[in-house]
Amino acid sequence: MCGIVGVVGNRNATDILMQGLEKLEYRGYDSAGIFVANNNGSNLIKSVGRIADLRARIGIDVEGTAGIGHTRWATHGKPSEINAHPHQSETSRLTLVHNGVIENFAQIKDDYLSNHHLNGQTDTEIAVHLIGKFVEEDGLSVLEAFRKALHIIEGSYAFALMDAQDPNTIYVAKNKSPLLIGLGDGYNMICSDAMAMIRETNQYMEIHDKELVIVKKDSVDIQDYEGHSVERESYIAELDLSDIGKGTYPYYMLKEIDEQPTVMRKLIKAYTDDDNIVVDNAIVEAVQEADRLYIIAAGTSYHAGFAAKNMLEALTETPVELGIASEWGYNQPLLSKKPLFIFISQSGETADSRQVLVKANELGIPSLTITNVPGSTLSREASHTMLLHAGPEIAVASTKAYTAQIATLAFLAKAVGQANHNKAAEDFDLVHELAIVAQSIEATLSEKELIEEKVANLLATTRNAFYIGRGSDYYVAMEASLKLKEISYIQCEGFAAGELKHGTISLIEDGVPVLALISNNPILAAHTRGNIQEVAARGAHVLTIVDEALAKEDDDIKVMTVHPFLSPIAMVVPTQLIAYYATLQRGLDVDKPRNLAKSVTVE
Ligand code: M6R
């Protein structure tokens, strides 16, 4: 949530900041702004809305050798130009951008800033006024003032600060929110995400929580909050520039849906050697030693945990419990004696999940993070990591990460089951089955026109809809409904098909779309078909998405059969396309739905 970029050195700062912000726009798009400086002066430009709106305001005279930029997902204060970052201190000497939430901002205002004039409602403005007060009123150096403020500020933050009197330095600090240094030749950068700097450099340096960094064009000085220097090695990020473009696709979401067969094949490559499953022994042992697996995640990643639960239990013979990260940290159930926490997170930065991981680490509970982003916070701080190998996922609506998460958990389940000589695991030819999954996805992708047409009849104007299913189809229904509501704004619920008659069926009336998923065994299929009859009798407009082996002639969308453990992967793909086409037909921005951001770094 919120993207930060900064640069200092021998580059055109305006260009670098704007290109970086365009790449970071997925993190928030309520407003944006840049501050650019050189020895002759500075410019502060902000705009409500998208980066394109900001770009339209930037004249050719806005140039400099250093600058900071921000794209905002509003927390404190509505999206407006006044609340857009960067913010400035009372005398405008200091300029600050911030990602995160300052929890004690009201207290700071009362304790230190009663005589200050604040323009907007953001917590960030209070932070820059606080630092500014220590410089402008108390006579501290900017470094001393920043350090003093960091001892007072509580909450999550990634800060980048500039001083108009020294436009050759950017001061940064972080706690719980992501921020990285990018190292260049004659310039250095800061950024929320390596992807936004990859055009400029592939050499990075991590910043850890509660570190303050002084970035100049040819030096990076990392300190703790007491001022002691910290040594840090840089690393090379293996990011492919072509992965982060849209190519010829109109939207990232469609590109990412289409990439799923390739991702399945990449996963086979990553987790096998001569057809043998290869998962780090330490991870296999961690699962073997656990008496219960606790999967903690949010949104789509949480749904992927459900989709993999039965497979994990069957193959590892270990009970699996699911927890919504935002609830878990503050309402943790009674744990088993030997728990293993498994964090599933595409971004590896989700603050809700991270707060659980921090507590797990305090309690000495071992943990595994399953993520798409090597080096992400959840990866760094967990005991173990498994990667999704899905390539950058940029559309806010998660698609290929969900299917990669289930497939990665399949490798984990299979490796542990095999190590335990579990018969079901030994019989489960995962490599072969995933290859079939890739084919099944390709078959669904070749039916895009049919799906688009079905959607036009069903969802183009409706206000609400239901997905129903039983067994693993219920879990897919949860994900399918999240996808549809997230981007098309159709109010949609995913229901266990048998549960409708216990209350929700009262919402069914003429024309309400009910999308039914049927991929499980014939008994469950027959029950779901019974539930379809019940809603159809009450006027529902039903669309069926059915495994070919269970399909009847008049079913709407047929999905090539895959192994039951992997059926959520095959079954979700038509629902991703349904969400995509419904959103297009309703004239909305598929990749950037309102009020959302890709990486949710606030609790
Ligand atoms: O990066 P994470 O997987 O931890 O993100 C969790 C959720 O915020 C995310 O899956 C969200 O639900 C998606 N935008 C849904 O498409």
Side-chain angles (χ1 to χ4, degrees):
M1 315 222 116
C2 301
I4 290 178
V5 61
V7 64
V8 52
N10 60 7
R11 303 293 304 269
N12 178 331
T14 308
D15 283 354
I16 301 263
L17 295 182
M18 292 307 293
Q19 280 168 23
L21 288 180
E22 272 155 11
K23 287 278 168 279
L24 289 173
E25 196 172 22
Y26 73 95
R27 300 179 70 90
Y29 30 85
D30 291 333
S31 63
I34 58 169
F35 173 79
V36 182
N38 57 26
N39 291 329
N40 304 321
S42 61
N43 282 286
L44 174 67
I45 298 144
K46 309 198 221 186
S47 166
V48 178
R50 305 287 170 97
I51 305 301
D53 300 308
L54 177 66
R55 196 176 268 291
R57 291 196 168 187
I58 294 175
I60 44 165
D61 54 325
V62 178
E63 55 178 34
T65 50
I68 48 181
H70 187 272
T71 178
R72 178 170 188 245
W73 185 84
T75 55
H76 296 68
K78 64 180 186 187
S80 66
E81 205 167 313
I82 278 182
N83 287 331
H85 299 216
H87 290 285
Q88 294 193 308
S89 59
E90 188 88 344
T91 65
S92 301
R93 176 175 162 183
L94 300 181
T95 305
L96 183 79
V97 291
H98 165 221
N99 169 21
V101 173
I102 298 172
E103 282 155 13
N104 59 340
F105 75 97
Q107 190 67 45
I108 293 175
K109 192 174 164 201
D110 289 349
D111 291 353
Y112 297 91
L113 304 174
S114 50
N115 60 342
H116 278 231
H117 173 71
L118 298 161
N119 293 310
Q121 294 83 43
T122 66
D123 48 347
T124 310
E125 202 182 351
I126 284 169
V128 72
H129 273 251
L130 179 69
I131 307 164
K133 171 196 154 41
F134 296 146
V135 175
E136 294 151 4
E137 297 167 26
D138 302 351
L140 298 188
S141 70
V142 174
L143 178 60
E144 287 164 345
F146 193 24
R147 192 179 291 133
K148 182 167 177 181
L150 291 170
H151 280 288
I152 295 167
I153 290 168
E154 290 166 13
S156 58
Y157 51 79
F159 286 130
L161 173 75
M162 286 188 68
D163 172 11
Q165 294 183 6
D166 172 18
N168 303 312
T169 305
I170 302 176
Y171 300 88
V172 303
K174 88 175 249 343
N175 185 42
K176 298 187 193 169
S177 297
L179 199 64
L180 280 171
I181 310 278
L183 304 170
D185 186 7
Y187 64 95
N188 286 315
M189 298 183 66
I190 52 146
C191 200
S192 307
D193 184 329
M195 250 187 336
M197 293 189 278
I198 196 70
R199 259 173 224 280
E200 317 305 330
T201 179
N202 66 353
Q203 199 184 354
Y204 297 102
M205 200 178 268
E206 285 174 0
I207 310 173
H208 294 176
D209 282 353
K210 306 228 165 166
E211 286 180 344
L212 186 165
V213 190
I214 303 142
V215 185
K216 296 180 186 281
K217 73 180 171 60
D218 41 24
S219 68
V220 172
D221 178 8
I222 305 180
Q223 302 182 356
D224 66 18
Y225 284 2
E226 307 313 320
H228 305 118
S229 280
V230 176
E231 291 295 317
R232 178 84 25 85
E233 292 292 317
S234 64
Y235 65 93
I236 303 291
E238 285 164 20
L239 262 177
D240 186 345
L241 200 53
S242 62
D243 280 350
I244 60 174
K246 257 195 318 234
T248 54
Y249 281 91
Y251 287 100
Y252 279 106
M253 183 181 179
L254 190 61
K255 173 175 179 267
E256 289 159 8
I257 291 172
D258 273 0
E259 282 169 351
Q260 291 175 109
T262 310
V263 173
M264 293 300 120
R265 294 181 182 118
K266 272 195 192 164
L267 280 165
I268 294 175
K269 219 168 151 207
Y271 288 112
T272 60
D273 187 4
D274 278 344
D275 271 8
N276 297 316
I277 309 293
V278 183
V279 172
D280 186 349
N281 262 340
I283 297 176
V284 172
E285 281 166 18
V287 178
Q288 284 179 309
E289 278 162 23
D291 61 0
R292 190 170 284 256
L293 308 177
Y294 294 88
I295 294 183
I296 294 129
T300 289
S301 298
Y302 176 63
H303 296 158
F306 271 112
K309 175 178 158 63
N310 291 347
M311 168 178 60
L312 273 168
E313 288 186 334
L315 302 188
T316 67
E317 296 172 78
T318 309
V320 175
E321 203 168 309
L322 268 290
I324 294 184
S326 55
E327 285 296 313
W328 186 275
Y330 304 99
N331 193 13
Q332 197 163 288
L334 183 63
L335 295 177
S336 66
K337 292 205 163 50
K338 291 185 193 161
L340 173 71
F341 281 16
I342 300 181
F343 294 90
I344 308 180
S345 174
Q346 187 284 131
S347 62
E349 300 294 349
T350 298
D352 289 324
S353 298
R354 198 214 171 193
Q355 51 93 10
V356 183
L357 177 55
V358 168
K359 286 183 188 150
N361 286 342
E362 281 164 13
L363 295 170
I365 296 172
S367 54
L368 163 66
T369 289
I370 296 185
T371 182
N372 203 21
V373 185
S376 55
T377 306
L378 287 170
S379 167
R380 283 201 315 270
E381 296 181 359
S383 328
H384 310 281
T385 297
M386 284 181 80
L387 292 176
L388 298 178
H389 298 282
E393 189 183 69
I394 292 163
V396 165
S398 183
T399 53
K400 62 178 178 173
Y402 171 83
T403 47
Q405 285 162 346
I406 300 168
T408 303
L409 285 162
F411 280 106
L412 177 65
K414 163 87 180 161
V416 174
Q418 249 179 207
N420 290 342
H421 307 293
N422 170 285
K423 172 92 173 62
E426 283 170 349
D427 291 348
F428 180 37
D429 185 350
L430 177 54
V431 172
H432 172 71
E433 298 299 348
L434 266 185
I436 293 177
V437 167
Q439 286 171 25
S440 172
I441 300 173
E442 276 162 354
T444 300
L445 296 176
S446 71
E447 298 286 344
K448 280 184 191 140
E449 274 178 27
L450 168 82
I451 294 174
E452 186 172 8
E453 192 190 308
K454 300 267 178 203
V455 169
N457 295 332
L458 192 71
L459 298 171
T461 55
T462 188
R463 281 174 57 88
N464 56 356
F466 294 89
Y467 267 101
I468 59 169
R470 286 169 179 257
S472 67
D473 291 328
Y474 166 43
Y475 301 142
V476 176
M478 288 158 58
E479 168 57 11
S481 96
L482 172 61
K483 209 85 320 164
L484 186 62
K485 65 187 144 195
E486 179 179 21
I487 58 174
S488 74
Y489 315 150
I490 296 170
Q491 185 169 11
C492 184
E493 286 187 71
F495 257 92
E499 187 66 9
L500 279 182
K501 58 184 177 294
H502 297 289
T504 310
I505 200 163
S506 65
L507 294 174
I508 304 295
E509 54 188 7
D510 262 355
V512 170
V514 175
L515 297 92
L517 298 156
I518 303 180
S519 80
N520 279 285
N521 60 57
I523 297 173
L524 286 186
H527 284 321
T528 305
R529 288 201 187 272
N531 302 132
I532 290 173
Q533 293 306 323
E534 290 155 13
V535 292
R538 286 156 180 89
H541 187 162
V542 178
L543 181 139
T544 51
I545 303 166
V546 186
D547 181 310
E548 267 175 3
L550 299 163
K552 298 189 175 172
E553 205 183 323
D554 55 357
D555 281 321
D556 294 290
I557 299 169
K558 294 170 188 148
V559 177
M560 188 183 133
T561 307
V562 301
H563 191 287
F565 284 151
L566 304 174
S567 86
I569 303 182
M571 290 297 285
V572 84
V573 178
T575 74
Q576 297 169 340
L577 289 168
I578 286 170
Y580 175 79
Y581 287 118
T583 306
L584 268 192
Q585 287 165 13
R586 294 164 84 95
L588 300 168
D589 184 337
V590 172
D591 284 342
K592 296 193 187 86
R594 69 183 175 208
N595 305 339
L596 282 162
K598 180 72 179 163
S599 185
V600 186
T601 53
V602 293
E603 278 186 41

